Amino acid sequence: MTNWEPDIENRSGPRYLALADALSDDMAAGRLKAGDRLPTHRDLAWRLGVTVGTVSRAYAEAERRGLTSGEVGRGTYVRSMANAAINHVLSNKEQEDEDTVHMNFAFPPPGREENYIPEILTNLAQDPQTASNFGYQPQGGSWRHRIAGARWIEQSGLTSVDPEHVVLTAGAHHGMTVALSAITRPGDRIVTEALTYPGIQAISRVLGLRIEGLAMDAEGIIPDAFEAACRSNDIKALYCVPTCQNPTTKTMSTARREAIAEVAQRYNVAVVEDDVFGRFVEAPPAPISSYLPDLGYYVTSLTKAVAPGLRVGYVAGPRAATDRLTTAIRATCWMASPLTAEIAARWIESGTSEEILANRRREGRARRAIAMEVLSAWDKDCADDSTFMWLHLPDPWRTGEFAAAAAKQGVSVTSAEAFTVGRLETPHAVRVCFGQPTNRQSLRSGLETLNKILRGEAADYYLAVV
């Protein structure tokens, strides 16, 4: 057994997540090796001054991430980082074969993209110009790929986009990193929704940023809360998801977007607008960046709408920021993959991207209808075109306990704790995603299990993690 005793005092968020994060960091740093046996729940709780329940939840979270494996009667063991990565990105089919219905990641619903892959690969193989996409390209992307990116962005609702000020990134997550790298310096303070995409918290830690959550209402961030933060602190940037907000599915109205933009303009605060879900929504309001030509950083990608594996994203920033964005790309990955950018460009030019998106929309709506039917008795937020649901839990359920109970019954959902910024109060809710199960039958099965747990009808369900 190792003498592992992580330092979690300076980590924000729930203690059990801080402990799981510390485990991941120590594995990456080599302080824990594959095969190491971790301290018992009781021993580690005593060393850290936390409850046994906290350690139990941390170990369960680590096992969910594929970092550890538990053996009854023998203890908890560290897995290899390679195995952890493989476990984290298992394909849908492999996940379903584990007898678990996974609804914890916001994967897009199937879009029949397999029907379009043979043709694009054949065309690339036969085109003598394809070889150029295996070499170095400008860090911001080739001119042709940037033109395609500008077209994709304009189809998303941001008009008059100049390709000169569009840069290619390795997906939207990388785009957020690039934008914030261009705007901030370590120690700077940024704000976001009180409940937000967990990736922004990870990015903030890597960049050394302080992050603060803002109060929300039915439309998302409350402008007065944004202004109060700007007035009391030196805020460098706002990160937000105005359309189909993750995890609440809320969409800001045009008036709300204008109000947010007005505050940003008055206090000279950059806005990093994540519009990765925007293409699923029919006729959404104009992006916030429309009102902020000198402060808006519009981030989008083909991840949710077309193909996650392409890892192609685009950032449209202010004219004065293009060089800084390019520098950030060079520092983080040198350049986005030209080959996948070429596939994206050809699909955008031919309209194939729109066909795949239309397929995903149709499947997403069918799946949402199933979810609304099965969980009709419960309080929830789920916008018309959303591919996930924010499920409010009835008394006496707590978010972590419900997620654990669901996992015990073979269904994975995401606890609200994953989305809560800092030490803000965590609501009793979970995010339930519709796109991840391989088919509608599997989705329905998982949803019916959740319904049974909520109704107290599932065998062996429990209300506490011990």
Side-chain angles (χ1 to χ4, degrees):
M1 183 183 301
T2 70
N3 292 320
W4 182 59
E5 188 172 335
D7 181 7
I8 61 174
E9 288 303 314
N10 294 322
R11 294 179 181 267
S12 61
R15 298 288 83 186
Y16 85 97
L17 288 178
L19 187 51
D21 290 342
L23 175 62
S24 177
D25 291 347
D26 286 349
M27 288 173 63
R31 290 185 285 271
L32 287 172
K33 303 182 298 297
D36 282 348
R37 182 184 176 189
L38 296 176
T40 66
H41 298 208
R42 190 173 300 279
D43 285 347
L44 188 58
W46 182 82
R47 294 181 198 177
L48 299 180
V50 299
T51 67
V52 174
T54 296
V55 176
S56 296
R57 294 176 72 184
Y59 278 16
E61 172 65 12
E63 185 166 0
R64 185 190 68 79
R65 298 182 190 179
L67 303 174
T68 63
S69 60
E71 299 181 29
V72 177
R74 296 193 59 215
T76 302
Y77 291 80
V78 175
R79 302 181 69 187
S80 72
M81 288 299 290
N83 285 340
I86 290 170
N87 185 77
H88 189 69
V89 297
L90 282 174
S91 71
N92 286 353
K93 178 61 179 172
E94 290 170 318
Q95 290 175 328
E96 298 297 349
D97 287 345
E98 294 180 334
D99 296 324
T100 296
V101 180
H102 290 265
M103 294 188 286
N104 55 322
F105 289 117
F107 289 4
R112 303 177 186 173
E113 58 273 26
E114 66 276 5
N115 296 339
Y116 305 90
I117 293 172
E119 180 181 5
I120 187 69
L121 294 183
T122 299
N123 291 341
L124 285 170
Q126 295 174 347
D127 187 346
Q129 296 300 316
T130 296
S132 65
N133 292 305
F134 285 83
Y136 284 110
Q137 300 279 357
Q139 275 84 34
S142 72
W143 183 244
R144 178 166 171 273
H145 294 164
R146 292 166 83 168
I147 291 174
R151 179 174 174 179
W152 178 258
I153 292 170
E154 288 182 338
Q155 290 170 338
S156 303
L158 189 64
T159 59
S160 303
V161 179
D162 186 345
E164 185 176 353
H165 304 297
V166 173
V167 297
L168 269 71
T169 62
H173 188 96
H174 182 230
M176 292 153 48
T177 305
V178 165
L180 286 172
S181 295
I183 297 165
T184 66
R185 295 293 179 268
D188 282 347
R189 189 184 299 273
I190 67 171
V191 290
T192 186
E193 299 102 336
L195 297 166
T196 191
Y197 168 55
I200 192 63
Q201 300 193 60
I203 291 170
S204 297
R205 286 196 294 270
V206 169
L207 297 180
L209 305 177
R210 293 175 292 173
I211 186 169
E212 177 183 337
L214 300 177
M216 305 169 67
D217 62 12
E219 290 191 34
I221 291 173
I222 300 172
D224 287 347
F226 180 29
E227 181 167 11
C230 293
R231 192 166 50 242
S232 59
N233 294 297
D234 182 16
I235 303 298
K236 295 296 183 182
L238 163 69
Y239 164 80
C240 61
V241 185
T243 303
C244 200
Q245 197 267 342
N246 186 11
T248 66
T249 83
K250 298 174 180 178
T251 292
M252 291 185 184
S253 66
T254 296
R256 176 61 58 89
R257 295 171 193 237
E258 291 174 342
I260 293 293
E262 192 277 328
V263 174
Q265 190 76 55
R266 187 144 38 90
Y267 290 91
N268 195 35
V269 174
V271 175
V272 178
E273 181 175 11
D274 181 353
D275 199 32
V276 71
F277 296 107
R279 292 307 308 276
F280 276 94
V281 177
E282 292 285 359
I288 295 176
S289 299
S290 300
Y291 311 105
L292 293 170
D294 298 322
L295 291 170
Y297 292 75
Y298 182 85
V299 180
T300 187
S301 76
L302 275 69
T303 300
K304 307 299 183 183
V306 180
L310 285 180
R311 305 312 304 154
V312 174
Y314 307 104
V315 178
R319 292 178 178 272
T322 304
D323 288 344
R324 296 198 304 274
L325 291 170
T326 302
T327 298
I329 292 170
R330 183 168 60 246
T332 50
C333 72
W334 187 262
M335 64 181 183
S337 168
L339 185 60
T340 55
E342 177 66 17
I343 294 173
R346 292 188 181 206
W347 274 354
I348 292 169
E349 292 164 354
S350 67
T352 299
S353 60
E354 295 300 313
E355 293 179 21
I356 296 174
L357 173 58
N359 293 337
R360 293 198 190 281
R361 281 176 174 164
R362 281 192 292 269
E363 181 63 19
R365 287 166 183 162
R367 292 183 175 218
R368 178 186 179 276
I370 293 171
M372 296 298 284
E373 172 203 335
V374 175
L375 300 178
S376 60
W378 310 106
D379 184 20
K380 55 198 169 292
D381 295 315
C382 189
D384 288 346
D385 295 302
S386 179
T387 58
F388 51 88
M389 170 188 292
W390 189 235
L391 179 63
H392 301 276
L393 302 174
D395 185 68
W397 284 109
R398 292 177 175 273
T399 178
E401 292 165 358
F402 182 83
K408 189 175 182 182
Q409 293 295 319
V411 180
S412 61
V413 296
T414 307
S415 164
E417 290 163 326
F419 306 99
T420 304
V421 177
R423 295 181 179 274
L424 295 176
E425 183 177 355
T426 300
H428 301 306
V430 294
R431 189 187 66 180
V432 182
C433 300
F434 314 144
Q436 205 171 359
T438 54
N439 52 59
R440 297 180 194 178
Q441 181 180 359
S442 178
L443 171 68
R444 181 178 288 275
S445 174
L447 292 168
E448 288 175 346
T449 297
L450 296 181
N451 189 45
K452 288 179 181 179
I453 296 172
L454 289 167
R455 294 173 64 91
E457 297 173 357
D460 300 325
Y461 82 94
Y462 58 96
L463 297 178
V465 178
V466 296

PDB file of all heavy atoms in Angstrom, residues 348-370:
ATOM      1  N   ILE A 348     -18.155  21.503 -45.840  1.00  0.00           N
ATOM      2  CA  ILE A 348     -18.845  22.791 -45.750  1.00  0.00           C
ATOM      3  C   ILE A 348     -19.176  23.308 -47.148  1.00  0.00           C
ATOM      4  O   ILE A 348     -20.287  23.764 -47.424  1.00  0.00           O
ATOM      5  CB  ILE A 348     -17.991  23.811 -44.967  1.00  0.00           C
ATOM      6  CG1 ILE A 348     -17.902  23.403 -43.486  1.00  0.00           C
ATOM      7  CG2 ILE A 348     -18.578  25.224 -45.095  1.00  0.00           C
ATOM      8  CD1 ILE A 348     -16.876  24.196 -42.691  1.00  0.00           C
ATOM      9  N   GLU A 349     -18.209  23.237 -48.066  1.00  0.00           N
ATOM     10  CA  GLU A 349     -18.401  23.732 -49.427  1.00  0.00           C
ATOM     11  C   GLU A 349     -19.474  22.949 -50.184  1.00  0.00           C
ATOM     12  O   GLU A 349     -20.254  23.528 -50.958  1.00  0.00           O
ATOM     13  CB  GLU A 349     -17.077  23.650 -50.194  1.00  0.00           C
ATOM     14  CG  GLU A 349     -16.011  24.613 -49.682  1.00  0.00           C
ATOM     15  CD  GLU A 349     -14.617  24.254 -50.172  1.00  0.00           C
ATOM     16  OE1 GLU A 349     -14.450  23.194 -50.828  1.00  0.00           O
ATOM     17  OE2 GLU A 349     -13.682  25.028 -49.881  1.00  0.00           O
ATOM     18  N   SER A 350     -19.528  21.642 -49.982  1.00  0.00           N
ATOM     19  CA  SER A 350     -20.463  20.794 -50.728  1.00  0.00           C
ATOM     20  C   SER A 350     -21.854  20.738 -50.115  1.00  0.00           C
ATOM     21  O   SER A 350     -22.796  20.257 -50.752  1.00  0.00           O
ATOM     22  CB  SER A 350     -19.909  19.366 -50.817  1.00  0.00           C
ATOM     23  OG  SER A 350     -19.891  18.752 -49.524  1.00  0.00           O
ATOM     24  N   GLY A 351     -21.988  21.212 -48.889  1.00  0.00           N
ATOM     25  CA  GLY A 351     -23.269  21.114 -48.193  1.00  0.00           C
ATOM     26  C   GLY A 351     -23.428  19.832 -47.399  1.00  0.00           C
ATOM     27  O   GLY A 351     -24.464  19.631 -46.734  1.00  0.00           O
ATOM     28  N   THR A 352     -22.419  18.958 -47.451  1.00  0.00           N
ATOM     29  CA  THR A 352     -22.485  17.708 -46.692  1.00  0.00           C
ATOM     30  C   THR A 352     -22.607  17.967 -45.201  1.00  0.00           C
ATOM     31  O   THR A 352     -23.328  17.260 -44.489  1.00  0.00           O
ATOM     32  CB  THR A 352     -21.237  16.849 -46.976  1.00  0.00           C
ATOM     33  OG1 THR A 352     -21.188  16.532 -48.365  1.00  0.00           O
ATOM     34  CG2 THR A 352     -21.252  15.566 -46.166  1.00  0.00           C
ATOM     35  N   SER A 353     -21.921  19.003 -44.722  1.00  0.00           N
ATOM     36  CA  SER A 353     -22.006  19.331 -43.297  1.00  0.00           C
ATOM     37  C   SER A 353     -23.439  19.627 -42.893  1.00  0.00           C
ATOM     38  O   SER A 353     -23.888  19.233 -41.812  1.00  0.00           O
ATOM     39  CB  SER A 353     -21.095  20.520 -42.964  1.00  0.00           C
ATOM     40  OG  SER A 353     -21.481  21.666 -43.719  1.00  0.00           O
ATOM     41  N   GLU A 354     -24.177  20.314 -43.763  1.00  0.00           N
ATOM     42  CA  GLU A 354     -25.562  20.639 -43.449  1.00  0.00           C
ATOM     43  C   GLU A 354     -26.440  19.388 -43.479  1.00  0.00           C
ATOM     44  O   GLU A 354     -27.397  19.267 -42.703  1.00  0.00           O
ATOM     45  CB  GLU A 354     -26.097  21.669 -44.449  1.00  0.00           C
ATOM     46  CG  GLU A 354     -25.415  23.028 -44.373  1.00  0.00           C
ATOM     47  CD  GLU A 354     -25.565  23.671 -43.004  1.00  0.00           C
ATOM     48  OE1 GLU A 354     -26.693  23.682 -42.458  1.00  0.00           O
ATOM     49  OE2 GLU A 354     -24.553  24.170 -42.475  1.00  0.00           O
ATOM     50  N   GLU A 355     -26.127  18.445 -44.368  1.00  0.00           N
ATOM     51  CA  GLU A 355     -26.890  17.197 -44.419  1.00  0.00           C
ATOM     52  C   GLU A 355     -26.676  16.379 -43.140  1.00  0.00           C
ATOM     53  O   GLU A 355     -27.644  15.849 -42.567  1.00  0.00           O
ATOM     54  CB  GLU A 355     -26.472  16.377 -45.644  1.00  0.00           C
ATOM     55  CG  GLU A 355     -26.847  17.002 -46.976  1.00  0.00           C
ATOM     56  CD  GLU A 355     -26.390  16.150 -48.146  1.00  0.00           C
ATOM     57  OE1 GLU A 355     -26.164  14.943 -47.955  1.00  0.00           O
ATOM     58  OE2 GLU A 355     -26.250  16.698 -49.256  1.00  0.00           O
ATOM     59  N   ILE A 356     -25.438  16.268 -42.709  1.00  0.00           N
ATOM     60  CA  ILE A 356     -25.153  15.529 -41.476  1.00  0.00           C
ATOM     61  C   ILE A 356     -25.826  16.207 -40.292  1.00  0.00           C
ATOM     62  O   ILE A 356     -26.425  15.548 -39.429  1.00  0.00           O
ATOM     63  CB  ILE A 356     -23.631  15.407 -41.250  1.00  0.00           C
ATOM     64  CG1 ILE A 356     -22.991  14.582 -42.371  1.00  0.00           C
ATOM     65  CG2 ILE A 356     -23.336  14.783 -39.887  1.00  0.00           C
ATOM     66  CD1 ILE A 356     -21.477  14.518 -42.313  1.00  0.00           C
ATOM     67  N   LEU A 357     -25.743  17.541 -40.249  1.00  0.00           N
ATOM     68  CA  LEU A 357     -26.387  18.288 -39.170  1.00  0.00           C
ATOM     69  C   LEU A 357     -27.892  18.056 -39.170  1.00  0.00           C
ATOM     70  O   LEU A 357     -28.501  17.864 -38.117  1.00  0.00           O
ATOM     71  CB  LEU A 357     -26.081  19.781 -39.315  1.00  0.00           C
ATOM     72  CG  LEU A 357     -26.811  20.730 -38.359  1.00  0.00           C
ATOM     73  CD1 LEU A 357     -26.528  20.373 -36.910  1.00  0.00           C
ATOM     74  CD2 LEU A 357     -26.420  22.174 -38.652  1.00  0.00           C
ATOM     75  N   ALA A 358     -28.505  18.056 -40.359  1.00  0.00           N
ATOM     76  CA  ALA A 358     -29.948  17.821 -40.444  1.00  0.00           C
ATOM     77  C   ALA A 358     -30.295  16.435 -39.912  1.00  0.00           C
ATOM     78  O   ALA A 358     -31.304  16.262 -39.208  1.00  0.00           O
ATOM     79  CB  ALA A 358     -30.418  17.966 -41.892  1.00  0.00           C
ATOM     80  N   ASN A 359     -29.460  15.442 -40.226  1.00  0.00           N
ATOM     81  CA  ASN A 359     -29.681  14.086 -39.696  1.00  0.00           C
ATOM     82  C   ASN A 359     -29.581  14.077 -38.179  1.00  0.00           C
ATOM     83  O   ASN A 359     -30.384  13.435 -37.487  1.00  0.00           O
ATOM     84  CB  ASN A 359     -28.657  13.117 -40.289  1.00  0.00           C
ATOM     85  CG  ASN A 359     -28.827  12.902 -41.782  1.00  0.00           C
ATOM     86  OD1 ASN A 359     -29.917  13.105 -42.310  1.00  0.00           O
ATOM     87  ND2 ASN A 359     -27.763  12.510 -42.455  1.00  0.00           N
ATOM     88  N   ARG A 360     -28.597  14.772 -37.652  1.00  0.00           N
ATOM     89  CA  ARG A 360     -28.415  14.810 -36.194  1.00  0.00           C
ATOM     90  C   ARG A 360     -29.598  15.528 -35.532  1.00  0.00           C
ATOM     91  O   ARG A 360     -30.054  15.122 -34.461  1.00  0.00           O
ATOM     92  CB  ARG A 360     -27.108  15.515 -35.839  1.00  0.00           C
ATOM     93  CG  ARG A 360     -25.842  14.768 -36.264  1.00  0.00           C
ATOM     94  CD  ARG A 360     -24.630  15.286 -35.494  1.00  0.00           C
ATOM     95  NE  ARG A 360     -23.376  14.775 -36.039  1.00  0.00           N
ATOM     96  CZ  ARG A 360     -22.890  13.552 -35.815  1.00  0.00           C
ATOM     97  NH1 ARG A 360     -23.568  12.699 -35.079  1.00  0.00           N
ATOM     98  NH2 ARG A 360     -21.728  13.184 -36.333  1.00  0.00           N
ATOM     99  N   ARG A 361     -30.072  16.588 -36.152  1.00  0.00           N
ATOM    100  CA  ARG A 361     -31.226  17.301 -35.597  1.00  0.00           C
ATOM    101  C   ARG A 361     -32.446  16.396 -35.531  1.00  0.00           C
ATOM    102  O   ARG A 361     -33.151  16.362 -34.512  1.00  0.00           O
ATOM    103  CB  ARG A 361     -31.542  18.527 -36.448  1.00  0.00           C
ATOM    104  CG  ARG A 361     -30.650  19.739 -36.214  1.00  0.00           C
ATOM    105  CD  ARG A 361     -31.018  20.822 -37.205  1.00  0.00           C
ATOM    106  NE  ARG A 361     -30.302  22.070 -36.958  1.00  0.00           N
ATOM    107  CZ  ARG A 361     -30.221  23.052 -37.858  1.00  0.00           C
ATOM    108  NH1 ARG A 361     -30.794  22.894 -39.050  1.00  0.00           N
ATOM    109  NH2 ARG A 361     -29.571  24.160 -37.579  1.00  0.00           N
ATOM    110  N   ARG A 362     -32.698  15.673 -36.614  1.00  0.00           N
ATOM    111  CA  ARG A 362     -33.871  14.786 -36.629  1.00  0.00           C
ATOM    112  C   ARG A 362     -33.761  13.715 -35.558  1.00  0.00           C
ATOM    113  O   ARG A 362     -34.726  13.463 -34.814  1.00  0.00           O
ATOM    114  CB  ARG A 362     -34.006  14.139 -38.012  1.00  0.00           C
ATOM    115  CG  ARG A 362     -34.627  15.033 -39.063  1.00  0.00           C
ATOM    116  CD  ARG A 362     -34.998  14.256 -40.310  1.00  0.00           C
ATOM    117  NE  ARG A 362     -33.808  13.790 -41.002  1.00  0.00           N
ATOM    118  CZ  ARG A 362     -33.187  14.479 -41.962  1.00  0.00           C
ATOM    119  NH1 ARG A 362     -33.648  15.660 -42.332  1.00  0.00           N
ATOM    120  NH2 ARG A 362     -32.128  13.989 -42.570  1.00  0.00           N
ATOM    121  N   GLU A 363     -32.590  13.098 -35.452  1.00  0.00           N
ATOM    122  CA  GLU A 363     -32.416  12.059 -34.446  1.00  0.00           C
ATOM    123  C   GLU A 363     -32.475  12.663 -33.044  1.00  0.00           C
ATOM    124  O   GLU A 363     -33.049  12.069 -32.121  1.00  0.00           O
ATOM    125  CB  GLU A 363     -31.089  11.339 -34.658  1.00  0.00           C
ATOM    126  CG  GLU A 363     -30.798  10.216 -33.670  1.00  0.00           C
ATOM    127  CD  GLU A 363     -31.782   9.065 -33.740  1.00  0.00           C
ATOM    128  OE1 GLU A 363     -32.485   8.921 -34.769  1.00  0.00           O
ATOM    129  OE2 GLU A 363     -31.862   8.300 -32.750  1.00  0.00           O
ATOM    130  N   GLY A 364     -31.895  13.850 -32.884  1.00  0.00           N
ATOM    131  CA  GLY A 364     -31.921  14.500 -31.578  1.00  0.00           C
ATOM    132  C   GLY A 364     -33.329  14.818 -31.118  1.00  0.00           C
ATOM    133  O   GLY A 364     -33.676  14.640 -29.943  1.00  0.00           O
ATOM    134  N   ARG A 365     -34.176  15.275 -32.038  1.00  0.00           N
ATOM    135  CA  ARG A 365     -35.557  15.585 -31.678  1.00  0.00           C
ATOM    136  C   ARG A 365     -36.328  14.330 -31.311  1.00  0.00           C
ATOM    137  O   ARG A 365     -37.150  14.334 -30.384  1.00  0.00           O
ATOM    138  CB  ARG A 365     -36.229  16.323 -32.833  1.00  0.00           C
ATOM    139  CG  ARG A 365     -35.742  17.753 -32.990  1.00  0.00           C
ATOM    140  CD  ARG A 365     -36.147  18.364 -34.311  1.00  0.00           C
ATOM    141  NE  ARG A 365     -35.601  19.717 -34.439  1.00  0.00           N
ATOM    142  CZ  ARG A 365     -35.486  20.364 -35.587  1.00  0.00           C
ATOM    143  NH1 ARG A 365     -35.883  19.780 -36.707  1.00  0.00           N
ATOM    144  NH2 ARG A 365     -34.981  21.582 -35.624  1.00  0.00           N
ATOM    145  N   ALA A 366     -36.064  13.234 -32.036  1.00  0.00           N
ATOM    146  CA  ALA A 366     -36.731  11.975 -31.710  1.00  0.00           C
ATOM    147  C   ALA A 366     -36.319  11.496 -30.328  1.00  0.00           C
ATOM    148  O   ALA A 366     -37.149  11.007 -29.537  1.00  0.00           O
ATOM    149  CB  ALA A 366     -36.403  10.927 -32.762  1.00  0.00           C
ATOM    150  N   ARG A 367     -35.056  11.640 -30.016  1.00  0.00           N
ATOM    151  CA  ARG A 367     -34.568  11.198 -28.705  1.00  0.00           C
ATOM    152  C   ARG A 367     -35.087  12.107 -27.590  1.00  0.00           C
ATOM    153  O   ARG A 367     -35.425  11.624 -26.499  1.00  0.00           O
ATOM    154  CB  ARG A 367     -33.038  11.144 -28.715  1.00  0.00           C
ATOM    155  CG  ARG A 367     -32.495  10.052 -29.626  1.00  0.00           C
ATOM    156  CD  ARG A 367     -30.985   9.952 -29.579  1.00  0.00           C
ATOM    157  NE  ARG A 367     -30.528   8.819 -30.387  1.00  0.00           N
ATOM    158  CZ  ARG A 367     -29.524   8.017 -30.058  1.00  0.00           C
ATOM    159  NH1 ARG A 367     -28.848   8.217 -28.936  1.00  0.00           N
ATOM    160  NH2 ARG A 367     -29.176   7.012 -30.847  1.00  0.00           N
ATOM    161  N   ARG A 368     -35.130  13.408 -27.863  1.00  0.00           N
ATOM    162  CA  ARG A 368     -35.670  14.313 -26.851  1.00  0.00           C
ATOM    163  C   ARG A 368     -37.122  13.962 -26.549  1.00  0.00           C
ATOM    164  O   ARG A 368     -37.558  13.998 -25.386  1.00  0.00           O
ATOM    165  CB  ARG A 368     -35.574  15.762 -27.329  1.00  0.00           C
ATOM    166  CG  ARG A 368     -36.163  16.770 -26.340  1.00  0.00           C
ATOM    167  CD  ARG A 368     -36.180  18.175 -26.915  1.00  0.00           C
ATOM    168  NE  ARG A 368     -36.760  19.101 -25.966  1.00  0.00           N
ATOM    169  CZ  ARG A 368     -38.058  19.322 -25.808  1.00  0.00           C
ATOM    170  NH1 ARG A 368     -38.937  18.641 -26.547  1.00  0.00           N
ATOM    171  NH2 ARG A 368     -38.493  20.183 -24.907  1.00  0.00           N
ATOM    172  N   ALA A 369     -37.895  13.619 -27.577  1.00  0.00           N
ATOM    173  CA  ALA A 369     -39.300  13.261 -27.380  1.00  0.00           C
ATOM    174  C   ALA A 369     -39.426  12.043 -26.475  1.00  0.00           C
ATOM    175  O   ALA A 369     -40.313  11.981 -25.613  1.00  0.00           O
ATOM    176  CB  ALA A 369     -39.963  12.989 -28.727  1.00  0.00           C
ATOM    177  N   ILE A 370     -38.534  11.076 -26.641  1.00  0.00           N
ATOM    178  CA  ILE A 370     -38.544   9.897 -25.776  1.00  0.00           C
ATOM    179  C   ILE A 370     -38.260  10.301 -24.337  1.00  0.00           C
ATOM    180  O   ILE A 370     -38.937   9.859 -23.396  1.00  0.00           O
ATOM    181  CB  ILE A 370     -37.507   8.868 -26.271  1.00  0.00           C
ATOM    182  CG1 ILE A 370     -37.910   8.303 -27.629  1.00  0.00           C
ATOM    183  CG2 ILE A 370     -37.347   7.736 -25.250  1.00  0.00           C
ATOM    184  CD1 ILE A 370     -36.845   7.438 -28.284  1.00  0.00           C
TER     185      ILE A 370
END
